[in-house]
Amino acid sequence: MMSLHEQYVLAGERYMSLNDRVAALQREVFEDAWKDGGASSEVIPGSGYTHGGELEGDERGESYYFSVSRWHQAEREAKTLLTRVADNWSAKSWDVGRERSSYNGEERITTTTPEGYWFELAEQGSEISLTGFSPVYWGDELKISMAIGARRDAEREGGLAWYSDHPMVEGRMTLLPGVYRPFPAWDAVK
């Protein structure tokens, strides 16, 4: 069984892997700054069980996943953009789903990569959103989340400039693709 420190290091690698994949997809859409998704792009993972119980034998609290979301203004070109991105994803041999809301006509495309990452690009009023979920991983979700949260808070209290270094638009940070909150250092808590 892995120690908490070993699980923590692995969780950091998984967090960075998801963010790097989202950044690559962002660049396919718009290379300029996107608005951060706030809490849905945090370093704290969610419970894998509530994400769909994808691991056989998971009894709650035994798995976790990371999520990222970004938002960009895309008024007139959204439908053309979704078609272009769907074609790009199909060219990667990813199965692509496309849905249109019967309520407001907004569209979204989704895919799951062979590695188990799930992505959605969706119209959201005058914006588009890009959301990504990592695969579900084995690990003690509560212990990992508590360890990450304690180190995130310690870094913030210690003056980590991450939060003040990025401009805010409508209460959210604006970030270029590939820029995301660093995973907290293990030694941030002594």
Side-chain angles (χ1 to χ4, degrees):
M1 183 172 192
M2 285 192 280
S3 69
L4 180 59
H5 179 254
E6 291 169 323
Q7 290 184 58
Y8 190 90
V9 169
L10 196 53
E13 292 169 2
R14 292 166 172 169
Y15 167 81
M16 291 184 289
S17 179
L18 173 62
N19 276 281
D20 291 344
R21 290 166 191 269
V22 167
L25 297 178
Q26 284 178 271
R27 288 183 191 104
E28 288 181 18
V29 181
F30 295 110
E31 291 194 28
D32 57 343
W34 293 59
K35 288 187 280 186
D36 178 61
S40 63
S41 293
E42 242 308 348
V43 294
I44 307 294
S47 167
Y49 185 84
T50 61
H51 185 57
E54 297 169 8
L55 297 178
E56 191 171 322
D58 186 358
E59 299 284 331
R60 296 187 186 255
E62 299 167 348
S63 64
Y64 65 92
Y65 72 98
F66 289 101
S67 64
V68 174
S69 79
R70 296 286 188 262
W71 298 74
H72 200 288
Q73 199 69 30
E75 291 177 24
R76 285 183 254 165
E77 65 214 53
K79 300 227 186 304
T80 303
L81 181 67
L82 287 171
T83 298
R84 180 175 56 82
V85 173
D87 290 345
N88 288 349
W89 290 358
S90 292
K92 295 176 185 184
S93 297
W94 296 352
D95 290 329
V96 178
R98 190 164 189 159
E99 299 173 7
R100 179 187 301 263
S101 168
S102 60
Y103 172 71
N104 60 14
E106 292 179 345
E107 293 184 34
R108 75 182 193 134
I109 58 171
T110 59
T111 191
T112 301
T113 71
E115 302 82 19
Y117 292 87
W118 181 88
F119 298 107
E120 173 193 73
L121 188 65
E123 289 183 275
Q124 303 280 332
S126 64
E127 295 182 306
I128 59 161
S129 65
L130 175 62
T131 303
F133 292 122
S134 74
V136 174
Y137 302 107
W138 285 109
D140 189 321
E141 185 256 333
L142 181 60
K143 285 182 181 177
I144 291 170
S145 294
M146 297 288 285
I148 295 168
R151 285 154 178 83
R152 176 205 56 200
D153 294 348
E155 286 184 345
R156 186 181 298 151
E157 291 166 11
L160 178 69
W162 167 253
Y163 297 98
S164 60
D165 282 353
H166 296 87
M168 300 288 275
V169 174
E170 299 169 3
R172 294 188 292 197
M173 285 186 271
T174 56
L175 306 169
L176 289 171
V179 177
Y180 52 91
R181 195 229 186 271
F183 197 74
W186 175 258
D187 61 4
V189 171
K190 305 295 181 210

